[in-house]
């Protein structure tokens, strides 16, 4: 192994040479109190920046083991250090030439605390992965600037961001404790017969539709109604009170603009933990809750949507329904069946993004259009069967149809951003004003047959490249020659999750998609490998930009691949 001085000398020697000569610096370098590893060197100043790592021994970093001695705490500390590194590098990263010259950056972070491959912590060391744009003038190496970046800036960054002594001990403690409490709360839900919990005082609204930070000034803090209030004694924070949403069918009603969708959105994202002061730190949802919406235009590969849709025009089969251009109702039906196939235990539906004809068919319409002329069995006629047959709960925002009172176990009304328990009133109204609808859903929900994806229909290659992946933001990935649109998959919150999903699809194809295994089996195996061996297994070289995802979002990507074929 060479040392820091050698690296500086090497970079000075490379000055003014063609950019490709940077390849020579790949390797490990011993600095006075950490190791720098250059894993991948970019081919030109405009290409994606070079990947590097620093390994800081705990004797130098000095993090007390109680900050990482449980899975929750470890993920929280890693998340915290990613944020600190991000904060510090912003002072060093600068434009120093062509392309991305001078860039120093770590994976972007949002409001969620997620397991990322940007930082690892163990008793031995702290490892941080990030990227640097090796500096150039035109296409010639700027050796002196590179020596400054790697030789001087990085040691300072390590000092400021990765040593316990230079960080705020109180803030770190708060970060790990809040995450531990949230994980603990989520773990308690099942025992209490709940699918979600929203703590009193939580701030649910966001700054704007494009800014996920909390709304500050006008935000009305959440306050639970007496009849739905539950209490927990968290390991760190102690007593916490709030609203428990019970298993079964829950309806969220209320006037327009009274906070219904905001509440549901917080529940959707309650499958993840949030940073201190996000406002949703103690909003937790069962880990297998999946948002369902209409998504017209998506492709569908042989999904049995017959529980909801039958007798389509032209006698098209709905037991193995395929299309390259789904309608609102068929897409919503497929989204539900696919979520169930992947193991969802809670469905979350918002009227704002649901297909009306999928949700409800009232008495008058039943009279006008006979059942045998309407392919759709509306969700209202299946939502109870779903709970009775499969134990799958539903939380539904529905301000527009009281017909759902008949099938709801709990009805919550949002009034000026505050929840009220109106279950009793809703039941009384349902008795008094009968809808006189004819239930159309039958006794049973219907069976869910897992599908087997065919390996040749999943091809990540493009031209001479065996694997071509690219991720644009959180809603689109390129997989080989295909584009997969994930804009309607609302529980993907960071780009790194999509990058990891793209890699995991390739991994699934290589390891488990063999023409005999079902989608649930494949998901089980891939997620099991990630759980036991870490997210790194999906890539070849150590990557700092991957973020853990759920099986449901992996399934969502596979299901939206337009070439997918199953049997
Ligand atoms: P609905 O779905 O009932 O029509 P939304 O949830 O879309 O209503 O909320 C309407 C508006 O009110 C949004 O701009 C949202 O940010 C804001 N809002 C929601 N909850 C709160 C709250 N607790 N305090 C202040 N503003 C809120
Ligand atoms: Mg709404």
């Amino acid at each position: 192994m060479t040392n820091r001085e050698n690296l500086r000398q090497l970079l000075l020697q490379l000055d003014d040479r063609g950019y490709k000569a940077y390849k020579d610096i790949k390797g490990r370098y011993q600095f006075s109190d950490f190791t720098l590893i250059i894993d991948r060197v970019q081919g030109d100043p405009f290409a994606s920046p070079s990947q590097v790592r620093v390994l800081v021994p705990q004797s130098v970093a000095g993090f007390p083991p109680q900050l990482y001695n449980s899975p929750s705490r470890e993920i929280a500390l890693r998340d915290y250090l990613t944020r600190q590194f991000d904060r510090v590098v912003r002072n060093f990263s600068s434009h120093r030439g062509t392309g991305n010259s001078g860039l120093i950056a770590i994976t972007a972070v949002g409001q969620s605390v997620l397991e990322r491959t940007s930082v690892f912590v163990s008793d031995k060391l702290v490892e941080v992965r990030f990227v640097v744009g090796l500096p150039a003038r035109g296409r010639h190496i700027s050796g002196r600037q590179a020596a400054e970046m790697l030789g001087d800036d990085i040691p300072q960054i390590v000092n400021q961001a990765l040593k316990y002594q230079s960080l705020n001990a109180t803030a770190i403690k708060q970060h790990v404790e809040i995450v531990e409490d949230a994980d603990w709360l989520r773990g308690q839900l099942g025992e209490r017969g709940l699918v979600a919990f929203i703590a009193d005082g939580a701030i649910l609204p966001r700054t704007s539709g494009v800014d996920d930070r909390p709304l500050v000034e006008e935000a009305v803090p959440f306050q639970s109604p007496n009849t739905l209030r539950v209490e927990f004694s968290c390991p760190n924070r102690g007593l916490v009170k709030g609203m428990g949403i019970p298993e079964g069918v829950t309806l969220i009603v209320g006037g327009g603009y009274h906070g219904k969708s905001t509440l549901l959105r917080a529940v959707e994202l309650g499958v993840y933990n949030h940073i201190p002061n996000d406002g949703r730190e103690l909003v937790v949802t069962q880990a297998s809750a999946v948002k369902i919406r209409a998504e017209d235009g998506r492709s569908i590969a042989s999904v049995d949507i017959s529980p909801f849709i039958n007798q389509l025009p032209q006698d098209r089969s709905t037991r193995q329904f395929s299309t390259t251009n789904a309608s609102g109702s068929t897409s919503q039906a497929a989204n539900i069946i696919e979520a169930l196939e992947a193991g969802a235990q809670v469905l979350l539906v918002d009227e704002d993004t649901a297909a009306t004809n999928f949700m409800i068919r009232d008495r008058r319409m039943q009279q006008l259009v006979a059942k045998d002329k309407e392919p759709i069995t509306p969700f209202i006629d299946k939502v109870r069967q779903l709970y009775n047959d499969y134990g799958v709960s539903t939380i539904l925002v529905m301000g527009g149809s009281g017909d759902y009172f008949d099938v709801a176990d709990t009805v919550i009304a949002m009034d000026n951003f505050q929840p009220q328990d109106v279950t009793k009133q809703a039941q009384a109204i349902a008795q008094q004003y009968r809808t006189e609808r004819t239930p159309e859903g039958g006794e049973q929900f219907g069976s869910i047959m897992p599908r087997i994806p065919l390996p040749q229909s999943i091809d990540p290659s493009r031209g001479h490249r065996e694997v071509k992946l690219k991720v644009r933001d959180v809603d689109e990935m390129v997989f080989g020659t295909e584009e997969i649109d994930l804009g309607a998959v609302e529980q993907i919150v960071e780009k790194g999750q999509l990058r990891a999903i793209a890699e995991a699809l390739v991994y699934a194809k290589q390891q488990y998609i063999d023409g005999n295994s079902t989608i649930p089996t494949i998901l089980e195996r891939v997620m099991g490998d990630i759980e036991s061996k870490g997210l790194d297994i999906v890539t070849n070289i150590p990557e700092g930009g991957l973020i853990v995802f759920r099986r449901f979002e992996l399934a969502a990507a596979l299901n939206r691949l337009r070439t997918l074929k199953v049997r």
Side-chain angles (χ1 to χ4, degrees), residues 39 51 131-132 142 150 239 270 281 296 409 416 426 430 447 516:
D39 282 310
Q51 269 171 252
V131 296
V132 296
S142 295
L150 299 179
L239 183 68
E281 300 94 305
D296 53 307
D409 298 300
N416 285 299
S447 60
N516 294 310

Side-chain angles (χ1 to χ4, degrees), residues 450-464:
R451 295 165 301 153
I452 297 174
L454 302 180
Q456 58 278 21
S457 71
I458 302 160
D459 180 7
S461 75
R462 175 147 158 186
H464 59 277

Side-chain angles (χ1 to χ4, degrees), residues 74 78 81 115-122 125-129 535-536 543:
E74 187 197 320
R78 289 164 58 190
L81 293 178
E115 183 171 1
R116 311 163 200 277
T117 58
S118 49
V119 174
F120 293 87
V121 178
S122 70
L125 51 83
V126 174
E127 173 179 341
V128 179
R129 300 171 181 180
L535 195 50
D536 270 344
E543 242 262 38

